Amino acid sequence: MELRVIEKEATMVSIEIAGEDHTFMNVLKGALLETEGVTAATYDMNPEQSGGQTDPVLTIKTDEHTDALDALEAGTERVIQKSDDFEAAFEAAA
Amino acid sequence: MQDYEVEFVERGDREARFLVRDITPAFANGIRRAMIADVPTFSVDELRVVENSSVMFDEQIGLRLGLVPLTTPVDEFEVGDTVTLSLDVQGPGREESTETVTAYSGDIVTSDPMVEPADENIPIIDLKPGQRLELEADAVLDRGREHAKHQGGVAVGYRHLQRVEVVGEKGEFEDDEPHILRGVIEEQEAAHASAGSGGEPRNGELVPTEAFDHDLTNRYPGKDLEVVDVPNAFVFHVETDGSLSVDELVTRAVDSLRGRAEELRDAVQL
């Protein structure tokens, strides 16, 4: 996972996450949209054949009280939390 | 934080159906995709052919061996690790009455008992008298993303849980057309199923549609029904090729998502 910051402002960040695909990006985007302070979160990814930007580019916008990179960190924490909770629930049922 | 609720509808070693409540579509799809493409399994990738006098090219044999599922123990190996297997099968002798000898996956000899064919009865090739197949094969641990032979989950998907509500009686002269539904339904207490379709429904009981031949009119004769998708409740159907159990596949798929989130978090913190 290699990161490349494309644009960075206080309440906005656009970051390329090399080597990831829809599997993780969509989960992350979904978690970010549930995170407090995030006003917009999306990612863009192009197919291999497009010949252009094929690594996903994640864009986050936040309200004025939240730093965009902090929000990203909170989003990843949320994915980790979700994973832990899911695994606990699954193992309890298994 | 999240309050997931998991309930098994069907449970086997290689095939299971389970309901997850309060899961977002994004997370459900992430788990499904991870089960298919991101959980690594062993599969034959390279051959060293000693003798192949069968009717097939080495490459064709290689493809067939690649498709044999191999058991993959948890946390013992890393992606890229290899295990050597071998196969030595000979056609029948000229005096024997049998015409062919079939080489099966069960004939594969492994150098590591943790990695062995998940099934013993997969035919690889028929050998006629005088033909022989002898080879060494390297199985490599890799992901379904690289090649479909490394997929642990072969039939993985989910459907919405569907709630069936009885809203009234059907009109006396209404057509009795079948009401086909597939998946798992959740019943309501007020609903009244017919006597022959497997007992009185209880509130929130989960019934796979196979129980009434996928036709709601068998279970609710003469009733006017409403079927709605239950929000954020998904019934996963998971079938593995035998290289892993269903439980291992699911937990490892979630682990892979968590691993990537941790990696990203650590990268952002720096």
Side-chain angles (χ1 to χ4, degrees):
Chain A
M1 186 178 291
E2 257 177 53
L3 303 182
R4 192 166 64 88
V5 176
I6 294 167
E7 243 185 289
K8 169 83 183 87
E9 290 160 33
T11 62
M12 185 274 204
V13 68
S14 193
I15 191 166
E16 179 195 82
I17 303 177
E20 284 306 332
D21 59 1
H22 296 288
T23 309
F24 177 63
M25 293 312 295
N26 196 236
V27 172
L28 179 64
K29 186 200 81 177
L32 278 166
L33 290 173
E34 295 167 354
T35 305
E36 209 175 315
V38 175
T39 54
T42 186
Y43 75 95
D44 182 35
M45 208 175 132
N46 298 311
E48 202 64 48
Q49 294 93 327
S50 67
Q53 173 77 38
T54 53
D55 283 316
V57 175
L58 179 73
T59 306
I60 306 170
K61 286 185 180 171
T62 55
D63 59 29
E64 62 266 37
H65 311 294
T66 317
D67 182 78
L69 273 178
D70 292 346
L72 175 58
E73 200 183 316
T76 58
E77 291 284 2
R78 200 176 168 87
V79 175
I80 295 166
Q81 186 69 45
K82 274 168 181 269
S83 308
D84 290 342
D85 292 346
F86 181 89
E87 226 167 78
F90 185 82
E91 268 154 21
Chain B
M1 178 183 71
Q2 294 281 312
D3 223 3
Y4 298 115
E5 209 181 294
V6 179
E7 193 178 331
F8 277 87
V9 180
E10 267 170 51
R11 187 161 160 71
D13 200 34
R14 290 193 184 186
E15 192 176 356
R17 277 212 281 192
F18 56 93
L19 165 69
V20 187
R21 286 182 200 270
D22 300 318
I23 186 168
T24 59
F27 192 43
N29 194 236
I31 294 171
R32 181 193 67 86
R33 286 178 60 107
M35 278 195 262
I36 294 170
D38 290 325
V39 177
T41 72
F42 271 103
S43 186
V44 169
D45 196 45
E46 261 186 14
L47 304 182
R48 286 179 295 280
V49 178
V50 180
E51 183 181 338
N52 176 14
S53 45
S54 77
V55 293
M56 280 198 175
F57 295 125
D58 298 353
E59 289 84 350
Q60 292 173 294
I61 303 282
L63 174 70
R64 290 182 169 203
L65 287 171
L67 296 175
V68 173
L70 302 171
T71 55
T72 305
V74 184
D75 297 333
E76 296 285 339
F77 296 93
E78 279 172 26
V79 167
D81 284 358
T82 58
V83 167
T84 308
L85 309 169
S86 71
L87 179 68
D88 184 1
V89 183
Q90 220 167 349
R94 305 242 172 233
E95 315 77 42
E96 284 176 52
S97 56
T98 46
E99 263 182 49
T100 58
V101 166
T102 309
Y104 286 100
S105 56
D107 297 322
I108 295 172
V109 181
T110 175
S111 64
D112 188 336
M114 286 191 290
V115 180
E116 55 178 13
D119 291 295
E120 307 235 297
N121 53 0
I122 305 169
I124 292 162
I125 191 168
D126 276 353
L127 296 169
K128 292 263 190 285
Q131 297 180 347
R132 179 173 185 176
L133 182 61
E134 186 184 353
L135 53 87
E136 254 181 44
D138 285 335
V140 63
L141 187 67
D142 213 333
R143 301 189 163 90
R145 210 187 311 158
E146 295 305 316
H147 194 295
K149 69 186 176 183
H150 293 292
Q151 281 184 14
V154 284
V156 182
Y158 54 75
R159 279 173 196 268
H160 255 121
L161 176 68
Q162 300 172 93
R163 185 184 293 134
V164 176
E165 281 166 51
V166 177
V167 289
E169 299 288 321
K170 226 182 227 171
E172 197 179 341
F173 301 108
E174 245 174 277
D175 292 332
D176 46 349
E177 280 168 7
H179 188 166
I180 304 297
L181 202 64
R182 274 167 218 284
V184 173
I185 62 164
E186 184 186 48
E187 296 195 312
Q188 300 296 302
E189 198 156 10
H192 290 289
S194 71
S197 61
E200 285 291 299
R202 280 166 296 158
N203 217 3
E205 190 174 10
L206 305 176
V207 184
T209 53
E210 290 95 297
F212 44 89
D213 203 18
H214 308 288
D215 186 355
L216 279 176
T217 56
N218 288 336
R219 195 161 173 87
Y220 299 92
K223 300 286 181 193
D224 201 10
L225 304 171
E226 204 165 284
V227 181
V228 286
D229 287 345
V230 183
N232 294 336
F234 293 97
V235 180
F236 280 80
H237 179 261
V238 179
E239 188 183 337
T240 78
D241 65 359
S243 30
L244 312 136
S245 70
V246 170
D247 295 12
E248 283 168 359
L249 184 69
V250 175
T251 46
R252 282 216 242 172
V254 178
D255 285 345
S256 95
L257 285 177
R258 185 200 294 115
R260 276 177 276 182
E262 284 169 350
E263 204 183 322
L264 179 58
R265 179 193 59 187
D266 296 346
V268 172
Q269 276 173 346
L270 289 179

